[in-house]
Structure formats: structure tokens, C-alpha cells
């Protein structure tokens, strides 16, 4: 057995949502330690090289990053393997571009282009609410933040709106029925809908029932639900499809319609 942390990752063992092809090499970038888990993040090298096409090789990505041109959540990052994750804001000042990392309806990471105003904040889910030394209250969020003196009304599973420059909570969305949510794990990853019901199972996993705008109903674990808006109003702009997962038949009909071919309907 080798000593120390693993520093390599085979391409076939990389997460599917990175969408790496099998024949372009043996290896994949292994994410560094950071605020997001290895299989729930997108390294910066894949953002700049594979998605935005600003580089052809890792060396070119390193040259870009070492010029301190790329910021993640307002901080300059120079590590090509830095793990950017869900709701992170990636800013490139030289091109005046801002992106938010979200999931598309098929559960893949997508770079949602956003305005400079929207790039000033991010959403984070509260994972723990605790009281520290000398009775100081604080909350933990899913992106590794610890924020002291939060609003006493904030509880676990709520979503907080964080100002990126100051790192302070400016608003929060409670976990309530009829609020808008995005699924961030499981089979329904990337789908968006309204919370309709929460089943409590003491000693097991609570189940949340969700209905999307197309009327489709599905259920998932409570830990997979990320509240993104109140009622039907979302706090962040959503990618194409608005989180509604279409069936294979609907996708085929849309492709035929786009090509100008006749769509046959089965009676």
C-alpha cells in the first residue's frame, strides 16, 4: 500500500457528469481537497478547457490561472484542480463573464451565464445549527462555511443567501411546503419543482415529495433537496429547460421539430 493521499484518478473512474471521453487519455484531473466532495464538484481545469474552450491543454490552463484571472466566489484560485461545486460563482474579469455552476435537468453540471448583479451573491444550504464557546450561535453550510450570529429563525435544511464580498447572510428561505427546490443528489438530480409534502421517518430517511411545472411528481430523500426560491419565484436564474426533465419521446419529437421533419403521433 502506498503512503499518503491518492494523487491520481483514472479516466474511467471519473464521475459521469464530467462528460470526459474515454479515448483522450488514461488519466483525469483529481480534484484537490476543498469545500465540495470529489464526486460532487467540477475542477477548474475542466471548466476552462472542456467547457469554455479557453485552453487546449493543462499547461495552458495553468498559464491562465497563474495570471490570477479566475475567481471562485470572489477569491482568486490558481489551482487547476480546485473543486468548484454547486452554486459556486466563477468570475473572469478580463472577459467580463460570470457563471454559476448548476445542474441541468439530466443531472450534469452546467455553466449558467449570469449578470454582474447576480454574481454578487450565492445560495447555500444549512447543514448544522449549533452554539459554540461563550454561547456564540453559528451555522454550517454545505459549501464549508461557518457563519456566526445568524438569524435565530434559521434552521437546518433552510437555504441562506450569502453576500460574496462580505460573507454575511443577507436573507434566508425556509424549508416549507410550496417553496421551489432543486434536487442535488440521487436519481432525480437536476430536477426543479415545488415541495408538496414531507414524510417523516424517525430512525430512517425523511422523504420529500416534489411536483414540477409540467405536473410530474417524484420523491427523494430530504438530504437531496436544496430550496432555491419562495413559491414560484426563484432566487437564481435557471438553465435551459427550467429543471423539467422530458421523456425520451418528448426529446425525440423536439429534435424532429427542430430539424423541420414531421412528428408522428401514436394514437
Amino acid at each position: 500500500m502506498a503512503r499518503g493521499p491518492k494523487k491520481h484518478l483514472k479516466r474511467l473512474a471519473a464521475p459521469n457528469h464530467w462528460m470526459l471521453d474515454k479515448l483522450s487519455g488514461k488519466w483525469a484531473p483529481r480534484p484537490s481537497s476543498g469545500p465540495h466532495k470529489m464526486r460532487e464538484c467540477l475542477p477548474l481545469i475542466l471548466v476552462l478547457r472542456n467547457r469554455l474552450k479557453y485552453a487546449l491543454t493543462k499547461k495552458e490552463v495553468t498559464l491562465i490561472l497563474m495570471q490570477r484571472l479566475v475567481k471562485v466566489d470572489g477569491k482568486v484560485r490558481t489551482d487547476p484542480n480546485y473543486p468548484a461545486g454547486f452554486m459556486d460563482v466563477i468570475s473572469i474579469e478580463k472577459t467580463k463573464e460570470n457563471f454559476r455552476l448548476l445542474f441541468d435537468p439530466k443531472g450534469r453540471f452546467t455553466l449558467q451565464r449570469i449578470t454582474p448583479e447576480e454574481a454578487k451573491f450565492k445560495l447555500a444550504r444549512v447543514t448544522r445549527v449549533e452554539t459554540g464557546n461563550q454561547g456564540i450561535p453559528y451555522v454550517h453550510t454545505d459549501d464549508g462555511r461557518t457563519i456566526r450570529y445568524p438569524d435565530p429563525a434559521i434552521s437546518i435544511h433552510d437555504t441562506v443567501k450569502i453576500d460574496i464580498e462580505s460573507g454575511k447572510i443577507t436573507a434566508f428561505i425556509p424549508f416549507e411546503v410550496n417553496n421551489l427546490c432543486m434536487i442535488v443528489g440521487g436519481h432525480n438530480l437536476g430536477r426543479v419543482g415545488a415541495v408538496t409534502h414531507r414524510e417523516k421517518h424517525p430512525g430512517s430517511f425523511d422523504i420529500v415529495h416534489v411536483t414540477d411545472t409540467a405536473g410530474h411528481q417524484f420523491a427523494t430523500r430530504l438530504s437531496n433537496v436544496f430550496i432555491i426560491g419562495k413559491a414560484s419565484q426563484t432566487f437564481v436564474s435557471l438553465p435551459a429547460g427550467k429543471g423539467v426533465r422530458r421523456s425520451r419521446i418528448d426529446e425525440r419529437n423536439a429534435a424532429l421539430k427542430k430539424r423541420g421533419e414531421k412528428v408522428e403521433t401514436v394514437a
Side-chain angles (χ1 to χ4, degrees), residues 10-264:
K10 289 285 184 70
R11 208 169 184 86
L12 291 179
N16 288 333
H17 58 76
W18 288 4
M19 293 189 293
L20 298 177
D21 51 350
K22 293 187 291 185
L23 302 179
S24 293
K26 186 176 181 179
W27 305 100
R30 185 182 183 88
S32 304
S33 298
H36 299 280
K37 295 180 180 178
M38 189 183 84
R39 305 193 72 83
E40 297 174 7
C41 72
L42 192 66
L44 282 183
I45 179 175
L46 298 185
V47 174
L48 294 174
R49 185 185 65 188
N50 296 42
R51 302 300 175 91
L52 297 178
K53 311 292 187 184
Y54 284 159
L56 294 174
T57 62
K58 183 176 181 180
K59 185 174 183 180
E60 291 180 6
V61 172
T62 304
L63 291 173
I64 293 170
L65 293 175
M66 293 309 289
Q67 295 178 64
R68 305 180 71 80
L69 299 175
V70 179
K71 291 183 179 180
V72 180
D73 288 346
K75 291 186 179 180
V76 173
R77 301 294 180 184
T78 57
D79 180 10
N81 294 329
Y82 179 81
F86 181 66
M87 282 291 170
D88 282 358
V89 175
I90 299 174
S91 303
I92 307 174
E93 292 181 357
K94 196 160 189 176
T95 59
K96 298 180 180 179
E97 289 178 313
N98 298 288
F99 304 93
R100 190 185 303 279
L101 264 180
L102 296 173
F103 293 113
D104 68 4
K106 290 189 174 184
R108 304 169 301 198
F109 269 122
T110 181
L111 289 168
Q112 175 67 17
R113 197 179 296 268
I114 56 177
T115 62
E117 284 300 315
E118 194 177 335
K120 292 180 180 178
F121 71 89
K122 70 174 295 187
L123 301 183
R125 184 176 56 189
V126 175
T127 55
R128 282 199 300 176
V129 180
E130 294 185 345
T131 303
N133 293 335
Q134 301 176 349
I136 296 175
Y138 61 90
V139 296
H140 288 299
T141 60
D142 63 336
D143 61 346
R145 296 172 189 258
T146 301
I147 303 173
R148 305 200 311 167
Y149 298 108
D151 189 320
I154 295 176
S155 60
I156 191 171
H157 306 307
D158 290 354
T159 295
V160 291
K161 183 180 179 181
I162 299 173
D163 180 69
I164 287 178
E165 187 176 353
S166 64
K168 295 182 178 179
I169 297 174
T170 57
F172 76 98
I173 317 169
F175 185 93
E176 292 176 350
V177 173
N178 295 328
N179 277 356
L180 202 64
C181 70
M182 178 176 276
I183 308 303
V184 295
H187 182 69
N188 295 300
L189 178 64
R191 298 180 75 173
V192 174
V195 176
T196 56
H197 178 57
R198 174 181 173 182
E199 293 179 10
K200 293 190 177 181
H201 299 280
S204 184
F205 300 102
D206 287 6
I207 302 297
V208 177
H209 293 263
V210 182
T211 304
D212 64 14
T213 54
H216 304 137
Q217 296 182 352
F218 54 94
T220 187
R221 289 182 181 179
L222 175 62
S223 59
N224 294 334
V225 178
F226 190 112
I227 302 296
I228 59 171
K230 291 183 178 179
S232 60
Q233 183 180 4
T234 176
F235 277 41
V236 296
S237 56
L238 297 175
K242 305 298 180 185
V244 177
R245 185 176 293 179
R246 297 186 297 182
S247 67
R248 299 285 178 85
I249 295 175
D250 291 339
E251 286 182 356
R252 173 183 171 275
N253 292 342
L256 290 174
K257 192 174 181 181
K258 190 175 181 180
R259 293 201 299 263
E261 298 181 19
K262 184 180 178 181
V263 178
E264 297 181 4

